């Protein structure tokens, strides 16, 4: 949220196009804003009223696109959700700190670096290109967000990078009256971890990512309490069931994080599924993975449908666990697809031009699609471009297909019959 607000402000102050309007869009419905307790706290502390914010359900991006009045910059994510695929052609810039999963587009400028906070990259842009727009309010929200994302800049937490340190120091040097770093972190941390007023379903939705592949649809929630406290909640199993039913998930992975008296992160993990085969499968993947090893040790669980663990590897955050599950889904899909799409009677069938069994060409194409990994999402993206298969063909793709057909010697009459 801070990245969007700050970058829109930067663009509004530096753009040469005086007719352009730069609007930060918070890519959640307004109803979910109370779940972002650290965000509500930070903005309130800096006199940024919720009434000034625009949420995704309050603006018609597709309507603006249809009349040619929209360009998009993506911050803190780089993949559009499936429902926004039509907006891809107006994405002009991306600023993110995750691996780039979007296809290359000549008109899109991508800034992607593995820093601890995307806000560091936004701060870098402001400091390098428009330092005069920095005031205490802007510096406060930028510095606070970086410090929170990087867990108070503690190297042992495994998130901070030299660039994060550099730009926090740059902001502090310009505004010496900012609150002490530790005090800022502690207040935000307290707000972020304050889930006392949230239901179990709200806690799971507060920081949620989803991965899908084949018959598996996994929700991965970060929850800011000790796992023992979460498991002791009344009607926990019912809460998990309702959450999964409403979201269409058949596996729920809950990653809890709390802090020791020395302010060191302490991680635990639970896997829930009413299907024992899926629960055991995902649990086994997480237990046996070696790069990195999560160092999972089983702990007591209140019901058989929840497998609970202490996580010995304190540095293995959800960002590092997402690729584990993603690779597992990719491999599983390949293994499941391979036997079904093998051309067993090659000599008995006519061959297509690319050397595949003509009767199996469509199946093989779907097998190749299965090798594509499901796209991980963050809490601001609620879909995956591959969830529902490949997108519909564009006119350009259709023309390209007919051009290939013509080159292969098909008749002109066959091509001219389609529009």
């Amino acid at each position: 949220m801070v990245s969007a607000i700050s970058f829109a402000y930067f663009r509004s102050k530096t753009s040469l196009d005086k007719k352009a309007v730069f609007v930060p869009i918070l890519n959640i419905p307004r109803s979910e804003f109370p779940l972002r307790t650290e965000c509500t706290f930070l903005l309130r502390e800096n006199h940024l009223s919720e009434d000034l914010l625009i949420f995704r359900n309050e603006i018609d991006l597709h309507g603006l696109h249809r009349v040619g009045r929209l360009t998009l910059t993506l911050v803190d994510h780089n993949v559009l959700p499936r429902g926004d695929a039509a907006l891809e052609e107006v994405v002009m810039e991306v600023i993110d700190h995750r691996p780039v999963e979007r296809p290359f587009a000549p008109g899109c400028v991508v800034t992607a670096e593995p820093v601890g906070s995307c806000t560091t990259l936004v701060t870098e842009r402001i400091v390098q290109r428009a330092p005069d727009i920095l005031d205490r309010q802007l510096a406060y929200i930028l510095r606070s967000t970086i410090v929170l994302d990087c867990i108070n800049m503690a190297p042992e937490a495994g998130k901070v990078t030299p660039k994060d340190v550099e730009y926090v120091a740059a902001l502090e040097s310009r505004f010496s009256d900012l609150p002490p770093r530790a005090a800022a972190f502690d207040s935000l941390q307290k707000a972020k971890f304050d889930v006392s007023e949230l239901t179990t379903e709200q806690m799971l939705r507060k920081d949620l990512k989803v991965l899908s592949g084949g018959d598996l649809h996994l929700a991965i929630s970060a929850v800011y309490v000790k796992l023992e406290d979460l498991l002791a909640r009344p009607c926990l199993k019912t809460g998990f069931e309702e959450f999964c039913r409403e979201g269409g998930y058949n596996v729920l992975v809950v990653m809890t994080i709390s802090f020791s008296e020395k302010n060191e992160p302490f991680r635990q993990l639970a896997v829930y599924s009413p299907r024992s085969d899926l629960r055991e499968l995902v649990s086994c993947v997480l237990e046996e993975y070696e790069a990195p090893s999560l160092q999972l040790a089983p702990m007591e669980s209140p019901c058989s449908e929840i497998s609970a663990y202490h996580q010995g590897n304190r540095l293995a955050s959800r960002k590092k666990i997402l690729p584990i599950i993603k690779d597992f889904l990719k491999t599983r899909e390949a293994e499941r697809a391979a036997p079904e799409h093998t051309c067993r009677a090659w000599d008995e069938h006519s061959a297509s031009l690319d050397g595949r069994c003509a009767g199996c060409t469509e199946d093989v194409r779907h097998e190749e699609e299965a090798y594509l990994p499901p796209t991980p999402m963050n809490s601001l993206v609620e879909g995956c471009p591959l969830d529902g298969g490949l997108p519909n063909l564009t006119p350009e793709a259709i023309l390209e297909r007919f051009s290939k057909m013509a080159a292969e010697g098909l008749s002109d009459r066959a091509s001219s019959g389609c529009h």
Side-chain angles (χ1 to χ4, degrees), residues 14 30 46 76 85 115 162 165 200 208 213 232 268 293 337 347 362 383 396 399 406:
T14 58
R30 185 177 289 272
N46 286 273
D76 210 8
V115 291
V165 174
T200 298
L208 169 67
Q268 296 164 297
S293 170
D347 293 336
E362 189 70 14
E396 293 80 5
L399 290 174

Side-chain angles (χ1 to χ4, degrees), residues 78 80 107 113 212 245 251 254 268 322-323 395:
N78 64 77
L80 286 170
E113 296 183 35
S212 296
R245 182 172 59 252
V251 178
V254 179
Q268 296 164 297
L322 282 172

Side-chain angles (χ1 to χ4, degrees), residues 135-412:
D135 58 18
R136 186 181 184 278
Q137 183 188 48
L138 181 56
Y140 193 120
I141 63 174
L142 290 170
R143 198 278 296 256
S144 297
T145 304
I146 300 171
V147 168
L148 181 65
D149 284 344
C150 296
I151 311 183
N152 201 23
M153 320 306 284
E156 59 270 18
K159 298 196 71 173
V160 67
T161 70
K163 181 166 283 191
D164 299 302
V165 174
E166 175 186 355
Y167 283 98
V168 164
L171 293 171
E172 291 173 342
S173 67
R174 290 195 55 165
F175 298 93
S176 57
D177 62 337
L178 290 174
R181 188 184 297 177
F185 173 75
D186 288 344
S187 60
L188 283 168
Q189 186 89 322
K190 182 179 179 181
K192 183 174 183 176
F193 278 58
D194 184 11
V195 294
S196 57
E197 301 301 319
L198 301 183
T199 66
T200 298
E201 187 266 344
Q202 287 176 320
M203 291 173 65
L204 296 173
R205 279 201 299 124
K206 177 176 166 63
D207 196 348
L208 169 67
K209 300 185 190 300
V210 177
L211 290 177
S212 296
D215 63 337
L216 278 171
H217 196 42
L218 294 94
I220 308 174
S221 295
V223 177
Y224 305 100
V225 296
K226 290 182 179 179
L227 185 55
E228 293 91 340
D229 295 338
L230 177 64
L231 296 178
R233 278 200 158 208
C235 304
L236 177 76
K237 183 177 173 239
T238 301
F240 280 8
E241 288 174 349
E242 293 177 354
F243 174 77
C244 289
R245 182 172 59 252
E246 291 177 5
Y249 314 123
N250 49 22
V251 178
L252 168 64
V253 178
V254 179
M255 299 189 65
T256 69
I257 180 170
S258 52
F259 289 82
S260 67
E261 294 180 357
K262 297 181 179 179
N263 213 28
E264 295 175 340
F266 179 73
R267 301 182 186 275
Q268 296 164 297
L269 186 148
V271 180
Y272 163 80
S273 178
R275 286 183 52 179
S276 60
D277 58 331
L278 297 183
R279 182 179 65 255
E280 292 170 4
L281 184 63
V282 174
S283 297
C284 185
V285 169
L286 297 174
E287 289 174 15
E288 296 181 358
Y289 202 81
E290 295 294 334
S293 170
L294 304 183
Q295 301 171 19
L296 297 181
M299 55 182 287
E300 186 176 353
S301 171
C303 74
S304 60
E305 295 180 354
I306 300 174
S307 299
Y309 302 92
H310 292 291
Q311 181 179 315
N313 184 349
R314 293 186 290 109
L315 300 183
S317 65
R318 184 175 56 182
K319 187 183 293 186
K320 296 180 180 178
I321 289 178
L322 282 172
I324 297 175
I325 300 178
K326 204 174 87 172
D327 289 344
F328 157 67
L329 292 175
K330 177 180 175 182
T331 302
R332 187 167 185 262
E333 273 301 283
E335 291 174 348
R336 287 164 61 89
E340 299 175 11
H341 303 299
T342 300
C343 300
R344 298 185 181 278
W346 172 256
D347 293 336
E348 299 176 10
H349 296 274
S350 59
S352 63
L353 289 172
D354 63 357
R356 291 192 176 103
C357 168
C360 296
T361 300
E362 189 70 14
D363 285 341
V364 174
R365 182 168 62 81
H366 285 299
E367 176 187 349
E368 290 172 346
E369 293 168 12
Y371 278 80
L372 293 168
T375 305
M377 302 170 306
N378 59 34
S379 53
L380 301 186
V381 181
E382 56 183 27
C384 164
L386 301 180
D387 280 350
L390 295 181
N392 294 328
L393 286 176
T394 63
E396 293 80 5
I398 294 173
L399 290 174
E400 180 182 358
R401 178 65 58 84
F402 280 120
S403 297
K404 289 182 178 179
M405 291 168 63
E408 292 167 357
L410 296 178
S411 70
D412 292 337

Side-chain angles (χ1 to χ4, degrees), residues 15-199:
S15 175
L16 299 178
D17 184 355
K18 300 306 178 184
K19 294 183 179 180
V21 178
F22 298 93
V23 182
I25 307 298
L26 307 187
N27 203 24
I28 57 172
R30 185 177 289 272
S31 61
E32 289 193 9
F33 186 57
L35 304 184
R36 315 301 172 93
T37 50
E38 70 278 19
C39 296
T40 58
F41 173 82
L42 179 61
L43 298 182
R44 185 172 62 249
E45 284 285 294
N46 286 273
H47 311 291
L48 292 168
S49 170
E50 180 181 344
D51 296 336
L52 299 174
L53 305 177
I54 298 178
F55 294 84
R56 180 55 197 274
N57 61 319
E58 298 171 339
I59 187 167
D60 184 3
L61 296 182
H62 290 271
L64 290 170
H65 175 40
R66 284 192 293 270
V67 297
R69 298 178 59 189
L70 178 70
T71 62
L72 287 177
T73 296
L74 307 183
V75 292
D76 210 8
H77 64 295
N78 64 77
V79 178
L80 286 170
R82 182 178 63 251
D84 287 339
L87 304 179
E88 183 61 51
E89 60 189 10
V90 294
V91 177
M92 298 291 106
E93 186 167 6
V94 170
I95 302 175
D96 196 11
H97 63 141
R98 296 169 177 79
V100 177
E101 310 238 3
R102 59 183 297 104
F104 171 75
C108 180
V109 178
V110 176
T111 301
E113 296 183 35
V115 291
S117 174
C118 181
T119 305
T120 295
L121 302 178
V122 174
T123 303
E124 179 182 42
R125 185 75 61 89
I126 295 172
V127 168
Q128 291 187 354
R129 300 191 186 182
D132 292 343
I133 74 169
L134 274 171
D135 58 18
R136 186 181 184 278
Q137 183 188 48
L138 181 56
Y140 193 120
I141 63 174
L142 290 170
R143 198 278 296 256
S144 297
T145 304
I146 300 171
V147 168
L148 181 65
D149 284 344
C150 296
I151 311 183
N152 201 23
M153 320 306 284
E156 59 270 18
K159 298 196 71 173
V160 67
T161 70
K163 181 166 283 191
D164 299 302
V165 174
E166 175 186 355
Y167 283 98
V168 164
L171 293 171
E172 291 173 342
S173 67
R174 290 195 55 165
F175 298 93
S176 57
D177 62 337
L178 290 174
R181 188 184 297 177
F185 173 75
D186 288 344
S187 60
L188 283 168
Q189 186 89 322
K190 182 179 179 181
K192 183 174 183 176
F193 278 58
D194 184 11
V195 294
S196 57
E197 301 301 319
L198 301 183
T199 66

